[in-house]
Amino acid sequence: MGALSFGAPLVLAGLLALPAIWWLLRLTPPRPQTETFPPLRILERVLRREETPARSPWWLTLLRLLLAALVILALAAPILNPRESALSGNGPVVVMLDNGWASARDWDDRRSAAEDLLREAGKAGRPVSLVLTAEDAGNDTAPVEAATALERLAAAEPRPIASDRAAAATRLSSVLGAQSGASIAYLSDGLDGGGMEAAAETLRALAPSQVILYAPPVGTLAGLTRAENATDALVVNAVRPEGETGPATYQLRALDAQEREIGRAPLAFAAGATTAQARFTIPVELRNDVARIERDGINDAASVRLVDDSFQRRRVALVSGEAADLAQPLLSPLYYITRALEPFADLVRAGSADLGTAIPALVEQRPSVIVLADIGVLPDAATQALNGFLENGGTLVRFAGPRLAASTAEDPLVPVRLRGGERQLGGAISWSEPQRVAPIADGSPFAGITVPADVTVSRQILAEPSADLSDRTWASLADGTPIVTAAARGAGTIVLFHTTAEATWSNLPISGAFVDMLRRIVSLSRGAVGTDGGTAETSLPPYRVMDGTARLVQPGPDIRPLVLADGAAPLPSLQNPPGLYGTAEGYRALNLLETDAVLRPLPALDLGAPIATRAYGTAGATDLTPWLFAGAVALFALDALALLWLHGGFARLRRGFGRRAAPAALVLGLSLAAAIGTQSERAHAQDTPSPAAMATQGLEGVDAARAIEATETTHLAYVETGDAATDEISRQGLDGLSQYIASKTALEPGKPMPVDIATDELSFYPILYWPIHASAPMPSQEAISRVDAYMKQGGTVLFDVEGDAMGDLSGQTVSAGQRRLRDILADLDIPPLEPVPADHVLTKAFYIMDSFPGRHTGSDLWVESLVRSADAEARPASAGDGVSSIMITSNDFASAWAVDGNGLFVFPTDNADPSQREYAYRAGVNIVMYVLTGNYKADQVHVPALLERLGQ
């Protein structure tokens, strides 16, 4: 049964006055009821008896007596279950106080409990040893007077680290020596750890006469162990003490560096679970601004997770040199790069195939890494944008390929000087075998990545030998040739893979090592201090550190620099508390809990004496004064309402409200109607556009009529050169070819259309015929960049060069037209070229042909070179993967195809035999069918073999 005590018992004598109060209330009648003085009301009451009571009603008297009794009892300060004296004996008193991170939640209560113990020891004249378990060895634990211990306690504060109880008990044992019979009061934080077993053994050796244990409940404790910026959300992991079986839900907040809230997420622990996960579904741009994640309303270090630059989900821009082929994604240069980086990076792709506009637009989005997959020639605008990107600290990753190998110009955006062409390892006419990747050197940024033994490279671009080549090599083949090189450029880095990003030159992209390499590059690009992956020790100065209440403050003089060994940070301590280490430009976050942290409640202790368990704060003792005053206020309110009712106040209020309600309701209704009407008019005015605005709406910058004409049927197009005679020949030639195609095939092309490559939309046309004449004006850089984008988007350009026959594009003796073609191709990102081989699908697209004559017959038709497979000789057709984006000839196709308005041929052919013109038309048909159907014909010739294999 609970005990009851009074802080001011003499006040209870006031209860003796209750009979006198009752007598006064009984003799004092209520005030007579008053009425208005209308004559009729007076006449009505002349014959009525007086009904005013002579004394107060009994229930009102009882109510007032209870009110007086509650006030007297409240002034007496009653306390339910008051605490008794805690200490016994006459030896020294030891107050061992946990002031680690878990004590921050109820620090005021535990300090109040320690103060009560110290004051009680002071009244008894007993010496006191105050031991703080989260302090260092310099903390004084020698017995002192209670007043001195109280001063030390007032200066104590919680620490953002774990308590070291073993060290604290050892310090205590060294100062108490052989003294026994001490009273030990251990004010714990309720958690196990910190060498509790060793501390208990040390305390038992002191042979205490009394042990008092304060052990608070730990059910509401929860620590954040990990924060990950995942693909679709910010994921936070948490842990709570073992043994908690009920479900629990807490709120987490994500804050930026200015402590502005970015988002909230629930942290829900399932029944019986000790771990939980919260997800912040906020955009990646906002997630990258997160600097701190914390439990709402909790101020301990474990409930806060600091993040640094390495946490941010970085943006990676991807640019490919080939047209996207959605039907064959495994052959796309960006497929394996996307699969490797997508889980932990924000990937953005070029919005246009025009590199002159796409790359500057990507740089404006401020990516951390830009990946160029087989880009050979870059426009000047793209080169300038990438140089600025590197100067500002960006990372440029390039992959080799046919386009880069075919580039003969000196490329400033590669880490090493490259040899022209490519090196092929293995094959029918090669003595060499595909090379394996050598083990990664310890000094390489790829150190620690294991490349499987079955990863080989069959083709690569070679680097020119130089004195610093080994320093710039991150990975090499078994024969010592570099496969990955890198070099600093400004504040950024250029990394080059000397093989392709897909599996044509090497099977490295389909290995796990490729994923690790790309992720290591992105990690290095983040600029996170101390995450360089090296083996040397790195020292970071303290920037902001966490105090016991989880606030970031300026570091004091006792905080030491954070030393990272092999990139790993030490455990938090007084010298290195949780916080941020580095500078404002870059820092490393040190958090309290590791990812595998476990919280356990304090176990049963054996300290060598019976243990008396107590609770912090006012738990167990209840002050009744506030409740008594609250009851008195409630009775006073009831008394006031009773008087109002007895004197007719409620009736007068009803009459007054009835007279005022009607006009007030009318005014309110008219006001609401006016407001609703005004708002409706405003909304209508905003939603309805003005006639002028409606008249000006339309397509801007697009010739709608031309777009409709170009897309309603297939049209062959020719490039306007600026020379009227040349353009007329192109028109007549394509017109004649279109008529021939309509007569021989199911395709019925429309009239050929002229195209200005500087202004017109090119994507409407499957093929562009471009006659090259030295007298024609040189197109602008922007126009050539638009053509390059057209080719990357799947279009094909047929260059027909004026001059001598082109037997070898690399020849030194060239005509004026061929020189103009070289000037144009120098600004185009094109792959290696070859004359149409006998097994190319162009030779079988519609007619079976072995040459492609025009008005002349001496020139080859050049197309993109194909990657030959091992069984290429046995295959009836080699299609490649897609359509060649470029064709080059000097056979003057347009003159051979040209017809006038009467259907007569305009120009004679070199040979008087009419079959040459027929073959010229057939060459045109094959070219158009190849452009429109791609490798369809090559697939068809393999149907018998496929059916035979399926039948097996």
Side-chain angles (χ1 to χ4, degrees):
M1 186 174 181
L4 182 65
S5 66
F6 294 91
L10 295 179
V11 178
L12 295 177
L15 295 175
L16 300 176
L18 289 179
I21 295 174
W22 173 81
W23 182 73
L24 291 174
L25 292 175
R26 292 285 294 173
L27 292 181
T28 305
R31 189 179 65 178
Q33 183 176 350
T34 59
E35 293 287 349
T36 310
F37 190 72
L40 294 178
R41 299 283 290 180
I42 296 176
L43 293 177
E44 286 181 351
R45 292 193 171 200
V46 168
L47 299 178
R48 295 182 61 184
R49 298 180 60 187
E50 180 63 39
E51 297 181 357
T52 300
R55 57 178 62 88
S56 299
W58 67 268
W59 52 268
L60 182 60
T61 302
L62 180 61
L63 180 67
R64 291 174 176 175
L65 287 176
L66 289 176
L67 174 61
L70 288 179
V71 171
I72 294 172
L73 290 174
L75 293 176
I79 298 177
L80 183 63
N81 295 327
R83 291 187 175 180
E84 300 176 355
S85 177
L87 299 176
S88 62
N90 53 10
V93 176
V94 176
V95 177
M96 188 172 177
L97 176 61
D98 279 344
N99 64 325
W101 65 267
S103 64
R105 55 185 175 133
D106 54 358
W107 177 249
D108 292 337
D109 292 337
R110 67 182 61 238
R111 181 162 57 183
S112 176
E115 288 177 351
D116 293 340
L117 293 171
L118 294 178
R119 289 192 178 94
E120 186 176 347
K123 292 179 180 180
R126 302 171 64 180
V128 177
S129 290
L130 178 62
V131 184
L132 302 176
T133 61
E135 303 297 337
D136 55 15
N139 181 249
D140 187 13
T141 59
V144 294
E145 294 183 355
T148 304
L150 284 170
E151 293 178 358
R152 285 188 51 212
L153 179 62
E157 59 184 12
R159 300 289 190 176
I161 60 175
S163 297
D164 190 353
R165 294 150 176 166
T170 301
R171 295 197 306 269
L172 177 64
S173 177
S174 64
V175 298
L176 288 184
Q179 296 187 42
S180 61
S183 296
I184 298 179
Y186 179 27
L187 287 73
S188 74
D189 56 18
L191 289 178
D192 192 12
M196 190 65 244
E197 293 184 1
E201 183 178 354
T202 303
L203 294 178
R204 281 198 302 270
L206 296 178
S209 63
Q210 179 189 14
V211 176
I212 303 174
L213 175 63
Y214 290 77
V218 294
T220 59
L221 279 180
L224 307 184
T225 58
R226 185 184 180 188
E228 178 185 5
N229 204 342
T231 303
D232 56 345
L234 189 162
V235 181
V236 181
N237 294 343
V239 64
R240 68 172 177 175
E242 296 178 350
E244 299 298 326
T245 59
T249 301
Y250 309 111
Q251 286 293 323
L252 298 186
R253 300 195 307 158
L255 309 176
D256 63 6
Q258 286 74 38
E259 296 190 358
R260 295 172 297 194
E261 184 174 314
I262 294 178
R264 284 177 174 260
L267 177 67
F269 287 92
T274 58
T275 59
Q277 190 177 86
R279 300 176 65 87
F280 291 83
T281 54
I282 53 181
V284 65
E285 291 79 8
L286 294 179
R287 280 186 264 148
N288 286 344
D289 291 336
V290 173
R292 174 189 178 102
I293 304 167
E294 63 178 22
R295 276 183 62 191
D296 190 15
I298 305 299
N299 60 347
D300 61 68
S303 298
V304 173
R305 196 76 184 175
L306 301 175
V307 298
D308 50 29
D309 292 341
S310 62
F311 166 81
Q312 296 185 358
R313 184 178 178 86
R314 293 300 180 180
R315 178 174 286 126
V316 178
L318 306 179
V319 183
S320 172
E322 294 186 4
D325 189 355
L326 299 180
Q328 296 175 312
L330 296 179
L331 301 177
S332 170
L334 298 180
Y335 177 78
Y336 298 102
I337 300 175
T338 301
R339 294 294 299 270
L341 296 179
E342 196 171 31
F344 79 110
D346 182 26
L347 304 183
V348 293
R349 295 178 180 266
S352 168
D354 185 352
L355 300 182
T357 59
I359 291 182
L362 289 175
V363 172
E364 290 180 358
Q365 298 185 42
R366 303 180 65 183
S368 298
V369 180
I370 294 180
V371 179
L372 303 182
D374 190 19
I375 300 292
V377 178
L378 288 168
D380 291 339
T383 302
Q384 295 175 5
L386 290 176
N387 283 328
F389 170 74
L390 291 169
E391 291 294 331
N392 292 330
T395 298
L396 176 63
V397 181
R398 301 192 66 177
F399 285 87
R403 288 174 173 79
L404 186 59
S407 177
T408 58
E410 189 72 20
D411 195 336
L413 293 176
V414 291
V416 294
R417 188 176 181 182
L418 302 177
R419 291 184 178 181
E422 61 194 58
R423 176 196 186 195
Q424 184 165 356
L425 303 170
I429 59 175
S430 175
W431 292 98
S432 61
E433 296 291 337
Q435 290 286 317
R436 295 180 179 179
V437 179
I440 306 297
D442 293 337
S444 169
F446 289 160
I449 297 178
T450 302
V451 181
D454 58 349
V455 171
T456 58
V457 176
S458 59
R459 298 174 73 180
Q460 67 175 135
I461 293 180
L462 292 176
E464 290 284 359
S466 62
D468 58 352
L469 181 59
S470 60
D471 296 334
R472 298 186 178 188
T473 300
W474 285 12
S476 59
L477 297 181
D479 61 359
T481 56
I483 193 64
V484 181
T485 56
R489 181 68 53 85
T493 305
I494 300 177
V495 182
L496 172 63
F497 283 77
H498 291 241
T499 186
T500 56
E502 27 76 28
T504 55
W505 288 19
S506 170
N507 59 353
L508 175 64
I510 60 177
S511 69
F514 184 73
V515 178
D516 295 335
M517 288 178 176
L518 290 182
R519 293 189 178 185
R520 184 71 59 86
I521 292 173
V522 174
S523 298
L524 295 177
S525 74
R526 297 177 176 181
V529 181
T531 57
D532 57 355
T535 58
E537 289 188 352
T538 304
S539 179
L540 304 178
Y543 174 56
R544 296 287 188 274
V545 295
M546 194 180 297
D547 64 5
T549 58
R551 297 178 305 168
L552 287 178
V553 296
Q554 293 287 346
D558 55 337
I559 306 300
R560 299 177 183 175
L562 185 68
V563 178
L564 305 177
D566 296 332
L571 295 177
S573 63
L574 280 179
Q575 290 74 33
N576 292 129
L580 305 175
Y581 291 82
T583 63
E585 287 74 22
Y587 46 76
R588 173 73 174 264
L590 179 64
N591 288 288
L592 176 65
L593 297 183
E594 299 291 328
T595 57
D596 57 350
V598 177
L599 302 181
R600 297 184 179 90
L602 194 68
L605 299 178
D606 180 12
L607 302 181
I611 297 178
T613 303
R614 291 181 175 269
Y616 289 116
T618 58
T622 305
D623 187 2
L624 300 180
T625 300
W627 300 99
L628 294 176
F629 273 122
V633 171
L635 293 180
F636 182 80
L638 290 176
D639 182 84
L641 292 175
L643 290 178
L644 187 63
W645 175 65
L646 290 174
H647 294 165
F650 289 146
R652 287 193 293 271
L653 287 176
R654 284 195 301 270
R655 290 194 297 269
F657 178 77
R659 288 192 297 267
R660 296 181 180 90
L666 178 60
V667 173
L668 180 61
L670 293 176
S671 301
L672 289 175
I676 293 173
T678 304
Q679 186 67 22
S680 176
E681 292 177 0
R682 291 178 180 175
H684 180 72
Q686 292 175 359
D687 295 338
T688 304
S690 63
M694 297 175 64
T696 57
Q697 289 179 354
L699 297 175
E700 297 181 0
V702 176
D703 188 345
R706 181 181 176 87
I708 294 173
E709 180 184 1
T711 56
E712 64 182 357
T713 187
T714 302
H715 293 268
L716 306 183
Y718 61 92
V719 175
E720 292 181 316
T721 62
D723 182 77
T726 301
D727 294 344
E728 178 62 17
I729 294 174
S730 298
R731 186 196 66 78
Q732 292 176 337
L734 294 185
D735 188 18
L737 179 61
S738 297
Q739 295 178 28
Y740 187 88
I741 291 174
S743 65
K744 299 296 184 180
T745 72
L747 176 65
E748 297 181 0
K751 290 292 183 180
M753 300 186 68
V755 171
D756 184 351
I757 60 175
T759 58
D760 290 337
E761 178 59 48
L762 307 181
S763 60
F764 297 148
Y765 313 102
I767 184 171
L768 292 181
Y769 178 77
W770 191 344
I772 304 297
H773 291 263
S775 60
M778 179 68 183
S780 65
Q781 177 69 35
E782 292 75 13
I784 294 178
S785 182
R786 297 181 80 246
V787 173
D788 186 65
Y790 165 76
M791 295 167 64
K792 284 184 169 60
Q793 290 173 333
T796 298
V797 180
L798 173 59
F799 293 95
D800 203 337
V801 185
E802 176 192 32
D804 298 334
M806 296 191 310
D808 187 358
L809 289 178
S810 62
Q812 299 299 322
T813 303
V814 295
S815 64
Q818 294 174 5
R819 188 175 296 108
R820 173 54 56 87
L821 175 64
R822 286 189 175 184
D823 295 339
I824 294 175
L825 296 184
D827 294 326
L828 288 176
D829 184 24
I830 60 174
L833 304 178
E834 65 178 354
V836 175
D839 59 350
H840 199 282
V841 70
L842 259 174
T843 64
K844 304 172 179 65
F846 194 85
Y847 294 102
I848 298 178
M849 305 185 66
D850 56 4
S851 63
F852 297 86
R855 185 184 180 190
H856 311 298
T857 58
S859 174
D860 293 323
L861 178 62
W862 291 75
V863 295
E864 291 184 13
S865 61
L866 301 178
V867 178
R868 301 290 171 175
S869 59
D871 59 344
E873 296 181 359
R875 301 178 65 183
S878 296
D881 300 312
V883 177
S884 176
S885 61
I886 182 172
M887 300 181 188
I888 303 176
T889 187
S890 60
N891 282 339
D892 194 4
F893 281 147
S895 297
W897 301 333
V899 295
D900 59 14
N902 297 321
L904 302 177
F905 301 122
V906 179
F907 300 99
T909 59
D910 291 345
N911 193 334
D913 187 355
S915 62
Q916 180 175 339
R917 193 181 303 275
E918 175 67 20
Y919 283 120
Y921 275 116
R922 291 185 179 185
V925 173
N926 273 24
I927 291 174
V928 173
M929 291 301 168
Y930 167 66
V931 170
L932 294 178
T933 63
N935 57 8
Y936 162 77
K937 180 64 68 172
D939 294 337
Q940 292 302 303
V941 299
H942 293 296
V943 168
L946 293 175
L947 293 176
E948 181 181 358
R949 182 169 298 179
L950 290 174
Q952 295 175 357

